[in-house]
Amino acid sequence: MSKPTVVLLHGVGLDHTMWEPTAALLADRFTVLTPDLPGHGTRPPAGDGVTLAGLADGVAGEIPAGAHLVGFSLGALVAQHLALHRPELVATLTSVSSVCRRTAEERASVLARLRTAESDFAASATASLKRWYDGTDVAADQVARTGATLLANDVGSFLGCYRVFATADVELGPDLGSIAVPALAVTGENDPGSTPEMTRRLAAALPDCRAVIVPETRHMLPVERPRALVDHLTAFLGECSHV
């Protein structure tokens, strides 16, 4: 019997390698796919005017029908878009460290980060590492690896994709109630950008979604607490398979 397929979509400025700790824990029970989003990793830089629809269309061809779709941060927004517009691809939707319907204050904060990246890309990468990893027990070499991935980005491509991350929740927000598949929304208790409140907001907006908050965890949940993420994900998928 073939294994169910889980597709893992990474965050902005990152690539498929961020999923290695999670993928290793899933590989015995699932076929795990970790495609790079357009403009990231092995893919060419994203063009001017990149959109959420463009990112979703650019990865849809690598997702088999009926996959269990898991998106992290920007990848969560891409996954939500696919659940809305390509529902045949999505059996379940898991949004990890996702934003949702940002308030005016939350939007001002992310747009300020975008302006920092526009003026000093290296400084913005350093600030991201601090926001994601400070106070965690993630090994220094893993933090350095994340930093190297960020700095390897084409700057213009990164800025375009970050602009999507900063704004696309506005276009998604009114349609979230149309996502019909079973869903899970999970984030870290100490995530300053994709907060527990946002995850609860997302769970309330989706028709069939539960919220999970992982204690004492920051933004890079799949790297910092892969076992906790996999435990919650596999429990959710197990329940869905018995519905």
Side-chain angles (χ1 to χ4, degrees):
M1 183 187 298
S2 61
K3 300 176 185 176
T5 298
V6 172
V7 179
L8 307 175
L9 302 180
H10 61 78
V12 66
L14 303 172
D15 65 11
H16 67 279
T17 62
M18 68 153 286
W19 288 112
E20 288 172 359
T22 302
L25 295 171
L26 290 168
D28 61 333
R29 289 160 286 179
F30 301 94
T31 297
V32 182
L33 304 178
T34 57
D36 285 331
L37 294 175
H40 293 79
T42 58
R43 305 287 296 274
D48 292 343
V50 61
T51 63
L52 181 63
L55 293 175
D57 290 346
V59 79
E62 299 182 59
I63 301 172
H68 299 290
L69 197 52
V70 181
F72 167 79
S73 198
L74 172 62
L77 301 182
V78 174
Q80 292 159 26
H81 187 280
L82 288 165
L84 279 165
H85 299 284
R86 296 292 305 274
E88 74 281 4
L89 299 180
V90 185
T92 66
L93 170 67
T94 299
S95 300
V96 182
S97 308
S98 181
V99 300
C100 179
R101 295 177 175 171
R102 289 182 179 97
T103 64
E105 182 179 358
E106 290 163 348
R107 187 160 316 285
S109 179
V110 72
L111 290 175
R113 297 201 297 273
L114 175 59
R115 287 192 296 273
T116 297
E118 289 170 339
S119 62
D120 190 336
F121 178 65
S124 78
T126 298
S128 292
L129 294 179
K130 288 181 176 295
R131 195 168 61 252
W132 297 348
Y133 288 124
D134 267 13
T136 72
D137 57 5
V138 176
D141 63 335
Q142 179 61 65
V143 177
R145 189 178 180 195
T146 304
T149 302
L150 285 173
L151 291 172
N153 278 277
D154 175 273
V155 175
S157 177
F158 172 85
L159 292 174
C161 292
Y162 199 93
R163 194 169 292 110
V164 172
F165 170 67
T167 60
D169 59 303
V170 173
E171 64 179 273
L172 283 168
D175 297 325
L176 291 174
S178 299
I179 293 177
V181 297
L184 173 68
V186 55
T187 200
E189 177 186 22
N190 300 329
D191 190 331
S194 302
T195 62
E197 172 56 31
M198 284 194 194
T199 281
R200 295 187 185 101
R201 205 179 292 161
L202 179 60
L206 296 173
D208 181 12
C209 185
R210 73 190 69 180
V212 172
I213 311 302
V214 179
E216 299 181 1
T217 304
R218 292 181 75 84
H219 186 60
M220 291 291 281
L221 172 58
V223 175
E224 186 183 352
R225 296 283 182 266
R227 171 57 68 186
L229 175 59
V230 166
D231 286 349
H232 289 299
L233 176 61
T234 54
F236 164 63
L237 296 181
E239 290 173 20
C240 292
S241 69
H242 293 107
V243 171

